[in-house]
Amino acid sequence: MTSRNYLFNSIKENIRRNFYLLILISVSMLAVLPVYTIMRLENALLEEPTAQSLLSPVQQALLDCIGVGNPGMQILVICAAVLLALSGFSYLHAGEKADFYHSLPLKREELFMVSFSSGFFTFLIPYLVAAALTCLVGAVYGGVSDGAAVTLFQAMGIHILYFLVIYGVSVLAILLTGNLFTALLALLGMMSYGWLVFTVYNTLNNRFLYTIGYFGQSDIGCFLSPIISYLTFSNTVGTTSRMRNNLVIVGVILAVVFFIADICVYKIRPSESYHKAIAFQKLQPLIKVCCVVPIALLAGLFFSSGMKNKFIWMLVTAVAVGVLLSVAFEFLYTMDIQKCIRPRISLGVILGVLLVVLVGYKTDITGYDSYLPKKEEIETMSVYFPSINGRFSYNSNYYEDYGFNENSNFLKNMSTKNFENIYELAKIGVKACAENKKNLTYGGQQAEAASNVQGTAALGDTNETLVEVDVAYHLKSGKTVYRAYMIPENKKVVSNVAAVYDNWDYKSKLLPTTYLKAEDMNHLYLDNFYTQRKQVDVSGSHLEEIYKTYKTELENMTFQESAKNRIVGYLTAEMELTDQEDGTYGADCRLPIYENFTKTIQLLQEAGEEVPLELDVSQVQKLVISRWNEEGEEISTEIEDNMQKETLLKHLTFEEAHYGVDSHVEYDLNVSIEYKNSEYTSSSIYLIKDKSVEDILKKLNFD
């Protein structure tokens, strides 16, 4: 009992001794909670309530103020945690103070708890008082709603939890160092180290791995720093309940781990460490290696990004930065110039790790790009063609999965046991990747090669279209492996793509019409050469008839027909969908109308909507074609000759700038059309190439 009273009195004495911090934090708390709330509620009184909201502006404003997303509170929690840790344990960086505290008749654990608890209560007491005053302000303004209590206690839990996490990290940084300067460096390093390593890892992958692609948004970046995790939780729009739960779990784990680590380190920390950069001499080489390697790699990647000989410059830069930082760390440790320039084992380890990492990536030592499992190891396969899938939109619950993008959703939901043609495309992709590495044609991730979806890259002396093929191997072991290949288009590739497309097992998952029902549509809109998003005045049985006719024509169209027929319009189905939080949101599904969809076009005409196969030259005010030259300048010309106009107008097609497989679209040319008696200007329109078009382009020097 006496020991408990002594600890309690010691905590009170510590708080009294640092009373200025209590005052500072209290004033700050009053500013970011009750005062800020009064300002927000006063402004909210002037706002008109919206019909869609269940809460009044005042009630919503109060929730924003007491919730976890209060930006002032977030900044205060971070600053208070760091400041209280520095003030509470700063005595460890002063020899006389450290000797005095360690001479007290208390165990190291008890000394630690006195300082740690003092800092925590210096934050907690003002927060509780400010939160109570904020609730009182809300009640006076009539802003208390049914969800106010839940919002308040959730915010209090998160703020206190991440205060403990950041506080624990800050204390650990002080315990591991011997002065304020290195303590601040250690704190900065501990807060950003995970992000630094992750950035280096991703950048190396993008620079060296040709088939890595992009298959979904990873949540790992939210857990790489306590501050990032804390700020991510407040972003209620961009986070799901699953992510928020994970952030709470991670926060609890980190708070406990850092608290235990702080106690353990405090128990064994030598009192005479105040004159050292790092309190534990044996940790110095390890800390140096762990810090220098990722920084040197990042410096090499950054410096060489615009160089012709990227790898050589990256290697030279990484080694040079590694040596310089190694010397800097040794000087920080010893404060002796002669000692810091002596060769050390840690420097050899740094240079060895740098060489292994860079040479390993350069030679693809893991065989990442050459990976091709045997057929007997594969259960099913999936494939995604941006040039094909890109012509549709997939705003449906079937593809809705937070953390994944469209291609990974499709690969996740689409799989087939009849994967012969997909496997053949993957085999061609592996071979093409090896050839491109050998010829150094293009490097790194697919986006560096050809604008995300598909494009052209110089192969030898000619420009050849590259087809992007994203593949998922669903192995019998239960593992799924994703790869993205860029394959030069040829007859064999086109033949395999056509075989995949014409397989109903694939097409049934590709085409939105297989899961989109007419009764789910609220409205139907039409885009044609003359108008954009014009509502089709049909409903009920008429809408269903148009949609079913379109569905039949689209699903019966072969790949060869889709490649040779122009897109003359788009139907847009507007729907109302339900998300994972049981909320509703509007979604559009765009469906291309090909020129051979005669029945669909006829039904639309009967409904009063024209889908012209070509434009009437008499209605065209201005026709301009343009392209970008090698210097990045836009070159454009207006077509004046009516004969040339008529020819070009017969070859127009809609596109979403996706390079279609086996396509005859002239993607380098943009077509802009202004109409008489209309302010509408056509966009996303391209030309289908044939001899007549090529002759005109030659005359215009656009060939």
Side-chain angles (χ1 to χ4, degrees), residues 518-519 543-553 600:
E519 54 265 28
L543 187 151
E544 185 175 354
E545 183 183 7
I546 292 174
Y547 176 68
K548 285 187 175 180
T549 302
Y550 174 84
K551 171 183 169 73
T552 301
E553 291 188 309
T600 301

Side-chain angles (χ1 to χ4, degrees), residues 391 528-529 550 554 557 559-570 591-598 601 611-616 646-655 662-667 673 684-690 693:
R391 289 184 170 175
N528 60 27
F529 290 125
Y550 174 84
L554 179 66
M557 183 174 62
F559 174 80
Q560 186 178 12
E561 290 173 333
S562 70
K564 73 178 183 179
N565 281 284
R566 297 181 298 129
I567 299 177
V568 294
Y570 270 93
L591 305 167
I593 304 174
Y594 290 84
E595 60 182 329
N596 62 324
F597 288 7
T598 55
I601 294 173
V611 184
L613 301 184
E614 60 186 68
L615 291 170
D616 185 353
E646 287 184 5
T647 301
L648 295 179
L649 292 176
K650 293 177 181 178
H651 293 80
L652 296 179
T653 182
F654 281 95
E655 267 293 353
D662 197 26
S663 172
H664 299 285
V665 176
E666 182 60 68
Y667 292 101
I673 303 174
S684 298
I685 296 181
Y686 295 84
L687 290 170
I688 296 288
K689 292 181 293 185
D690 69 358
V693 173

Side-chain angles (χ1 to χ4, degrees), residues 630-648:
E630 295 179 355
E631 289 74 32
E633 300 173 340
E634 186 178 17
I635 301 174
S636 62
T637 185
E638 181 180 350
I639 310 300
E640 302 285 354
D641 186 273
N642 278 338
M643 294 292 293
Q644 291 181 346
K645 277 186 182 180
E646 287 184 5
T647 301
L648 295 179

Side-chain angles (χ1 to χ4, degrees), residues 86 164 222 260 284 291 377 383 417 447 469 537 589:
L86 292 174
L164 289 172
C222 302
I260 295 174
Q284 291 179 358
C291 291
E377 298 175 353
V383 65
K417 292 186 177 181
V469 181
D537 189 18
C589 185

